[in-house]
């Protein structure tokens, strides 16, 4: 009779014994009870639930479930329970009593296989039978990875449902999918086992006090807000979540999700709907609130490539390579910063920009919503000569300060030039002792500032809402799928685009500032940078455009330079295909272009590969299966990942008649004829070259007169290093190309870059000087390491 005894003891303690009757038994099961989220927030939230509900007639039992065997799991769980704390308004004696009761009502169960859930159900039923209790409901909180949801749901549905007449509530933590298709699949799986009213998808931002107050604030101040909460008065809305921490130790998660999937698609989008939805007539009905949110989601204008700006902090790539054990040539487009312009296609909000912004490794930790109103006032009188508090000419705004930042506490701030807001006095109070702090350029005295009477953790509030079945603070299946349907097309675009690299922290300066322009967003900041006496100033994180040896030069850090070259190659391909229906690209070998091949294969899905012919600039005289083979590397890093028709691939014939590079086999003549028969005027659309430390390019080495000045299109050459024998296009053929790109990467190339920038232009001594397009253009792509060291 433990539960009844505890209930009676509590009622006696609180003098409620005469007026309270038993309302039924609640079993709370926390699956993932020894995980980080449970340790940090969930057990504390469940304890707060017990603090608030223990004297209101229900009896409780709390199960912590995890994969660990009982000996290990119990030890971890009860270490957490012993550290639970009470709110400041709970007396020490009452806190000690309730904490002791909570510990005695908490049990650990191993929940690893289906039989464990059967045993759990039997334990719940035995407890109620022994105590003579009737069941009111069961609450399952799944604090586990989403890939485990389906199996757990199957087990709950099969053997662990409550008795008829009792409710079941199953709480799920994000992420709820990776895109529309995966979210739809997960939702479909869960619907096989649970009804929609039994599913509570939790978004903890909806439990943050300021966010939870948005709708009550709008309702309580409707008289003032109704005339101005629209496109005629609102200039823009900013919804911002900034973090100073980076993704270190979480790169495996971030590589799969990125910042938009992590916080913008869910947290910030939910806030957007609370701000912009039409207020329902019946505030108390969860269905009406959720329906109004869904109507807003369905009226959002589609996003495209102009809708967002994205970034990636500089150390992210290094962290990914280290934590995920990736090779040094691995690159990633994962966004760690994003700003997105969202617009709503309805009468109230047409034309009003909603800016959703979040990122890691930024200059401060803060979260806020800022509603800025249009400034249509003109004030003739000097500010110092106006009556104190008359601020009609100052910036008018409403700020929902969610937390952290300079302010340091959750608050709602309303410009004094707007109106004095109303709040429930039991929950929010006016902050009277204001510091000299300025917020968005204005002193706090310019605002009416309200803060919670008592700060409360988001999970505590949401767990209470789950207990009472208040579904308006949770995400329904329809709302979830509508959100993913909205965001997925943009994510598919951004996953193929390169984010701007930023240093992180205060060093970002203005690098991530952006502007609204031509119906979209674009970065505004330009970082001055001078290089080797160049007078022009350019963006240090965009490519430098200058000249080198009298020809165009593009320079950047290696990763961004590769991205730029890949884009230029695709532009050249699209132009050639549009002009002649085909694109002829000749590729050099060696290690330098491997990252470029990977970039083209992984991120340029719109490349016209079916209309592309691939040729080799040079080849080592080895079988294609050897690691030194240029064609072998092109096949490994490019051809295995893109769909180039087999007949469009033209390897150099170094291996003929079971002999390697034999003059008698006429391999050079065969390749020259193949080029002449396929390539109009033997002019490639684009040729990619490299630069050796001795000044050679292709496989034309110093002193190779035939390759430098001769008229043969293809010839055998001799390299100073092994393998010595090579086949190469001659400079006379290379120079017929419409465009030639010379790619130079790494500190190891700094000396040769410096040398040829000062040396006499002798192609016999420095073959690279022999690259001089007859009618086309030459562009150097040199990274900062090679250029600056």
């Amino acid at each position: 009779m433990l539960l009844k005894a505890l209930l009676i003891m509590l009622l006696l303690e609180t003098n409620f014994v005469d007026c309270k009757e038993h309302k039924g038994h609640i079993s709370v099961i926390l699956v993932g009870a020894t995980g980080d989220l449970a340790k940090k927030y969930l057990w504390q939230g469940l304890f707060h639930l017990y603090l608030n509900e223990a004297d209101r007639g229900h009896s409780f039992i709390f199960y912590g479930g995890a994969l660990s065997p009982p000996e290990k799991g119990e030890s971890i769980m009860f270490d957490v329970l012993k550290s639970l704390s009470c709110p400041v308004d709970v007396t020490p004696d009452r806190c000690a009593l309730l904490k002791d009761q909570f510990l005695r009502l908490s049990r650990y169960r191993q929940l690893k296989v289906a039989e464990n859930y059967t045993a759990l159900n039997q334990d719940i039923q035995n407890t109620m039978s022994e105590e003579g209790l009737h069941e009111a409901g069961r609450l399952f909180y799944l604090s586990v990875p989403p890939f485990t949801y389906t199996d757990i749901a199957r087990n709950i549905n099969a053997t662990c449902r409550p008795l008829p007449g009792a409710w079941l509530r199953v709480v799920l933590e994000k992420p709820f999918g990776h895109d529309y298709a995966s979210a739809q699949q997960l939702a479909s799986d869960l619907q096989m086992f649970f009804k929609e009213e039994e599913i509570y998808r939790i978004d903890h931002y909806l439990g943050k006090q300021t966010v939870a107050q948005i709708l009550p604030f709008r309702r309580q101040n409707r008289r003032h807000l109704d005339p101005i909460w629209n496109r005629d008065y609102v200039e823009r809305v900013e919804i911002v979540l900034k973090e100073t921490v980076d993704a270190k130790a979480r790169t495996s998660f971030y590589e799969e999700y990125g910042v938009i999937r992590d916080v913008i698609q869910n947290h910030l989008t939910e806030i957007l709907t609370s701000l912009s939805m039409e207020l329902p007539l019946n505030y108390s009905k969860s269905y009406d609130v959720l329906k109004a949110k869904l109507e807003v989601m369905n009226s959002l204008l589609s996003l495209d490539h102009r809708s967002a700006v994205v970034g990636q902090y500089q150390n992210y790539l290094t962290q990914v390579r280290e934590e995920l054990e990736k090779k040094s040539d691995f690159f990633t487009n994962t966004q760690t910063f994003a700003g997105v312009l969202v617009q709503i296609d309805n009468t109230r909000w047409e034309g009003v920009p909603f800016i959703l912004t979040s990122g890691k490794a930024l200059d401060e930790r803060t979260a806020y919503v800022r509603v800025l109103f249009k400034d249509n006032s003109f004030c003739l009188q000097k500010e110092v000569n106006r009556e104190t508090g008359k601020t009609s000419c100052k910036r008018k705004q409403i700020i929902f300060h969610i937390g952290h930042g300079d302010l340091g506490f959750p608050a709602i701030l309303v410009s004094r030039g707007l109106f004095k807001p109303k709040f429930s006095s039991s929950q929010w109070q006016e902050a009277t002792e204001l510091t000299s702090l300025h917020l968005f350029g204005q002193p706090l005295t310019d605002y009416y500032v309200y803060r919670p009477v008592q700060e409360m953790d988001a999970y505590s509030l949401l767990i209470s809402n789950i207990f009472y079945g208040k579904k308006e603070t949770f995400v329904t299946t329809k709302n979830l799928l509508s959100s993913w349907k909205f965001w997925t097309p943009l994510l598919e675009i951004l996953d193929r685009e390169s984010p701007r690299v930023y240093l992180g922290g205060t060093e970002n300066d203005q690098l991530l500032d952006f502007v609204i322009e031509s119906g979209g967003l674009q970065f505004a900041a330009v970082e001055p940078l001078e290089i080797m006496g160049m007078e022009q100033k350019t963006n240090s994180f965009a490519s430098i455009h200058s000249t080198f040896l009298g020809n165009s030069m593009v320079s950047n850090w290696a990763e961004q330079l590769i991205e730029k070259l890949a884009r230029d190659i695709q532009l050249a391909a699209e132009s050639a295909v549009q002009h002649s229906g085909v694109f002829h690209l000749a590729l050099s070998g060696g290690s330098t272009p491997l990252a470029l091949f990977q970039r083209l294969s992984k991120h340029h899905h719109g490349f016209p590969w079916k209309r592309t012919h691939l040729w080799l600039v040079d080849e080592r005289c080895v079988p294609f299966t050897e690691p030194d083979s240029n064609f072998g590397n092109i096949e490994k890093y490019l051809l295995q990942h893109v769909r180039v028709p087999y007949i469009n691939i033209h390897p150099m014939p170094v291996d003929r008649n079971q002999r390697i590079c034999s003059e008698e086999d006429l391999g050079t003549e065969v390749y020259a004829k193949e080029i002449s028969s396929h390539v109009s005027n033997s002019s490639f659309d684009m040729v990619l070259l490299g630069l050796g430390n001795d000044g050679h390019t292709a496989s034309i080495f110093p002193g190779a007169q035939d390759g430098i000045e001769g008229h043969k299109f293809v010839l055998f050459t001799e390299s100073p290093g092994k393998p010595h024998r090579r086949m190469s296009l001659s400079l006379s053929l290379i120079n017929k190309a419409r465009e030639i790109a010379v790619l130079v990467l790494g500190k190891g190339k700094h000396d040769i870059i410096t040398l040829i920038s000062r040396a006499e232009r002798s192609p016999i001594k420095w073959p690279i000087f022999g690259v001089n397009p007859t009618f086309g253009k030459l562009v150097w792509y040199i990274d900062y390491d090679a250029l600056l060291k």
Side-chain angles (χ1 to χ4, degrees):
M1 304 295 284
L2 173 64
L3 296 180
K4 276 193 172 179
L6 288 175
L7 179 61
I8 291 170
M9 186 193 318
L10 180 65
L11 294 178
L12 287 169
E13 177 73 21
T14 52
N15 299 316
F16 278 104
V17 69
D18 294 329
C19 59
K20 296 291 180 183
E21 60 182 32
H22 188 256
K23 296 179 179 179
H25 181 65
I26 309 291
S27 301
V28 179
I29 303 97
L30 175 54
V31 185
T34 58
D36 290 340
L37 185 65
K39 292 175 182 176
K40 193 171 181 181
Y41 297 112
L42 302 184
W43 279 116
Q44 187 66 54
L46 293 175
F47 179 48
H48 281 182
L49 174 69
Y50 184 69
L51 284 175
N52 294 327
E53 301 299 330
D55 59 356
R56 296 181 181 176
H58 286 105
S59 60
F60 289 87
I61 191 163
F62 297 87
Y63 291 93
L67 299 176
S68 302
E71 313 80 56
K72 181 179 178 182
E74 283 178 2
S75 173
I76 296 172
M77 189 180 95
F78 280 97
D79 282 346
V80 176
L81 299 188
K82 290 171 187 174
S83 65
L84 297 175
S85 59
C86 296
V88 292
D89 60 343
V90 177
T91 64
D93 289 345
R94 178 173 168 81
C95 180
L97 171 69
L98 291 171
K99 185 174 177 180
D100 179 65
Q101 291 174 359
F102 186 76
L103 263 66
R104 283 192 278 171
L105 292 172
S106 298
R107 304 175 183 178
Y108 178 83
R109 302 287 306 201
Q110 184 178 28
L111 295 177
K112 191 172 185 179
V113 294
E115 291 76 14
N116 297 146
Y117 288 84
T118 304
L120 171 64
N121 181 64
Q122 191 60 53
D123 190 43
I124 293 172
Q125 291 189 2
N126 289 344
T127 299
M128 289 190 297
S129 177
E130 291 169 5
E131 303 287 346
L133 302 171
H134 70 273
E135 186 165 27
R138 295 187 193 181
L139 192 163
F140 282 86
Y141 198 122
L142 308 191
S143 178
V144 292
F147 68 82
T148 66
Y149 285 169
T150 303
D151 287 340
I152 294 173
R154 182 181 293 107
N155 291 331
I156 293 171
N157 183 62
T159 63
C160 219
R161 276 189 167 274
L163 297 172
W167 51 255
L168 171 67
R169 289 171 192 153
V170 181
V171 187
L172 307 173
E173 280 281 351
K174 79 174 185 72
F176 312 121
H178 178 268
D179 54 18
Y180 179 73
S182 59
Q184 194 173 40
Q185 181 61 56
L186 181 57
S188 176
D189 291 345
L190 291 171
Q191 285 172 337
M192 291 191 296
F193 307 110
F194 303 132
K195 300 173 185 176
E196 179 65 28
E197 60 266 27
E198 295 174 333
I199 300 173
Y200 286 70
R201 293 180 185 86
I202 201 164
D203 183 327
H204 78 274
Y205 252 71
L206 292 177
K208 289 187 176 290
Q209 286 175 285
T210 305
V211 177
Q213 189 63 26
I214 290 175
L215 286 178
F217 172 84
R218 289 183 59 192
R219 291 196 298 262
Q220 292 158 5
N221 295 280
R222 194 163 189 170
R223 183 171 67 87
H224 298 292
L225 288 173
D226 269 359
I228 63 173
W229 205 253
N230 56 60
R231 64 183 183 180
D232 296 326
Y233 290 88
V234 175
E235 178 183 311
R236 72 175 185 269
V237 179
E238 302 169 0
I239 307 173
V240 179
L241 194 169
K242 295 168 66 178
E243 296 184 273
T244 54
V245 297
D246 59 20
K248 190 174 183 180
R250 292 188 71 222
T251 56
S252 60
F253 172 84
Y254 239 70
E255 272 299 278
E256 187 175 357
Y257 289 95
V259 68
I260 294 179
R261 292 178 174 92
D262 185 26
V263 296
I264 296 180
Q265 176 272 329
N266 37 64
H267 302 332
L268 303 196
T269 303
E270 284 293 327
I271 293 173
L272 180 149
T273 60
S274 294
L275 288 164
S276 59
M277 61 176 267
E278 296 297 318
L279 292 178
L281 294 175
N282 192 336
Y283 304 139
S284 61
K285 284 190 176 181
S286 298
Y287 172 80
D288 290 349
V289 174
L290 293 168
K291 182 182 176 184
K293 286 187 174 184
L294 183 60
E295 286 173 357
V296 173
M297 280 303 311
N298 291 338
S299 65
L300 299 182
L301 290 175
S302 300
L303 303 174
D304 58 31
H305 68 280
R306 300 171 304 159
S307 303
V309 289
V310 293
Q312 182 187 102
Y313 65 83
Q314 193 171 45
N315 290 335
Y316 178 76
L317 179 60
T318 302
Q319 290 170 351
V320 171
R321 287 173 177 170
E322 290 174 354
E323 293 179 16
L324 305 186
E325 298 181 351
K326 299 290 186 179
K327 294 183 179 178
S328 59
D329 57 1
F330 172 83
F331 293 99
T332 174
N333 276 347
T334 298
Q335 309 96 24
T336 61
F337 164 83
V340 186
L341 173 63
V342 177
Q343 294 191 310
I344 303 173
D345 185 16
N346 65 24
T347 342
R348 181 184 292 275
W349 296 113
E350 182 183 6
V352 177
F354 285 73
I355 300 170
L356 279 58
T357 305
S358 185
K360 289 190 172 293
L362 301 181
D363 62 317
E364 63 173 337
R365 183 187 183 189
T366 189
Y368 61 84
V369 176
R370 189 178 177 213
V371 182
L372 288 94
F373 292 89
K374 295 177 181 178
D375 185 5
N376 58 359
S377 301
F378 173 78
C379 294
L380 187 64
Q381 189 87 334
K382 287 174 62 178
E383 186 176 343
V384 294
N385 295 330
R386 290 204 303 270
E387 185 181 342
T388 304
K390 298 293 185 181
T391 57
S392 60
C393 283
K394 291 188 176 182
R395 194 64 156 132
K396 299 179 182 67
Q397 51 193 323
I398 297 175
I399 300 165
F400 298 90
H401 192 270
I402 299 168
H404 304 291
D406 291 335
L407 194 57
F409 56 84
I412 297 177
L413 301 89
V414 179
S415 291
R416 290 182 178 270
L418 286 171
F419 59 88
K420 184 170 184 178
K422 293 181 180 179
F423 287 87
S424 168
S425 58
S426 63
Q427 296 178 341
W428 287 71
Q429 61 186 358
E430 187 168 6
T432 52
E433 296 181 8
L434 302 178
T435 66
S436 58
L437 177 72
H438 281 59
L439 204 61
F440 301 111
Q442 293 178 229
L444 290 184
T445 51
D446 282 358
Y447 303 95
Y448 296 108
V449 182
Y450 285 79
R451 63 184 299 176
V453 173
Q454 181 178 311
E455 291 188 34
M456 186 177 183
D457 172 67
Y459 281 97
S460 296
L461 187 150
L462 290 173
I463 287 171
S464 175
N465 286 352
I466 296 164
F467 178 76
Y468 282 103
K470 296 181 178 180
K471 292 212 70 174
E472 65 268 23
T473 49
F474 299 89
V475 184
T476 66
T477 299
K478 285 183 179 179
N479 291 51
L480 172 70
L481 295 181
S482 179
S483 177
W484 275 120
K485 191 173 184 179
F486 172 71
W487 284 104
T488 296
L490 176 67
L491 290 166
E492 290 173 347
I493 292 169
L494 296 179
D495 286 346
R496 299 192 297 267
E497 294 189 359
S498 304
R500 169 176 284 198
V501 175
Y502 58 98
L503 291 171
T506 56
E507 294 183 68
N508 294 332
D509 196 22
Q510 302 173 46
L511 192 64
L512 297 179
D513 292 353
F514 53 84
V515 295
I516 303 172
E517 194 165 297
S518 303
L521 299 182
Q522 64 180 44
F523 283 119
V526 175
E527 178 91 338
L529 181 68
E530 285 193 34
I531 296 197
M532 296 179 70
M534 297 177 192
E535 293 184 358
Q536 76 275 26
K537 292 184 177 180
T538 182
N539 189 327
S540 65
F541 287 85
S543 300
I544 294 172
H545 293 264
S546 185
T547 58
F548 182 72
L549 299 179
N551 293 287
S552 296
M553 181 192 76
V554 181
S555 191
N556 206 324
W557 298 110
E559 182 179 354
Q560 287 72 46
L561 188 69
I562 291 291
E563 293 170 4
K564 167 65 174 165
L565 177 53
R567 287 197 300 271
D568 289 349
I569 293 173
Q570 179 162 345
L571 289 173
E574 291 168 349
S575 175
V577 168
Q578 185 177 11
H579 181 262
S580 61
V582 68
F583 176 56
H584 289 281
L585 172 64
L587 299 172
S588 285
S591 60
T592 297
L594 297 185
L596 173 65
F597 298 160
Q598 288 187 315
R599 180 81 203 174
L600 287 169
S601 66
K602 291 182 179 180
H603 301 284
H604 288 259
H605 304 291
F607 197 100
W609 292 113
K610 291 183 179 180
R611 300 291 189 90
T612 298
H613 284 254
L614 291 179
W615 304 83
L616 266 70
V617 169
D618 61 336
E619 180 60 283
R620 297 178 173 97
C621 290
V622 296
F624 294 152
T625 54
E626 292 291 319
D628 286 329
S629 168
N630 289 342
F631 179 75
N633 283 326
I634 292 173
E635 182 181 39
K636 178 180 178 181
Y637 291 97
L638 181 63
L639 296 178
Q640 289 182 7
H641 310 284
V642 297
R643 296 183 178 181
V644 180
Y646 178 76
I647 58 172
N648 290 7
I649 301 169
H650 308 277
M652 281 185 158
V654 294
D655 189 351
R656 287 172 61 83
N657 302 322
Q658 297 183 335
R659 293 185 292 192
I660 300 293
C661 290
S662 172
E663 297 278 2
E664 291 83 356
D665 294 326
L666 305 176
T668 56
E669 295 180 21
V670 168
Y671 205 55
K673 287 179 181 178
E674 190 175 356
I675 293 170
S676 298
S677 64
H678 286 83
V679 184
S680 175
N681 196 34
S682 297
S683 297
F684 293 108
D685 294 299
M686 193 167 193
V687 174
L688 175 67
L689 299 176
L691 173 65
N693 288 327
D694 57 358
H696 83 266
T697 190
S699 281
I700 308 299
F701 295 92
Q705 191 162 353
D706 287 346
I708 297 167
E709 299 176 347
H711 297 292
K712 279 188 173 184
F713 280 176
V714 186
L715 68 159
F716 288 118
T717 66
E718 294 293 326
S719 165
K722 293 181 179 181
H724 299 294
R725 190 83 160 151
R726 309 282 181 94
M727 184 183 288
S728 178
L729 304 185
S730 66
L731 294 187
S732 63
L733 176 60
I734 289 170
N735 285 332
K736 290 167 67 69
R738 292 180 176 84
E739 186 170 342
I740 301 172
V742 182
L743 177 62
V744 188
L745 301 176
K747 294 180 179 179
K749 297 296 174 69
H750 176 70
D751 289 346
I752 186 61
I753 285 291
T754 304
L755 194 57
I756 63 174
S757 69
R758 301 168 181 169
E760 61 173 326
R761 301 198 176 191
S762 169
I764 293 295
K765 189 173 182 180
W766 315 102
I768 191 66
F769 284 124
V771 179
N772 186 21
T774 310
F775 301 108
K777 66 176 181 178
L778 168 62
V779 181
W780 289 82
Y781 293 82
I782 309 176
D783 78 343
Y784 291 160
D785 283 334
L787 194 63
L788 305 174
K789 201 171 181 177

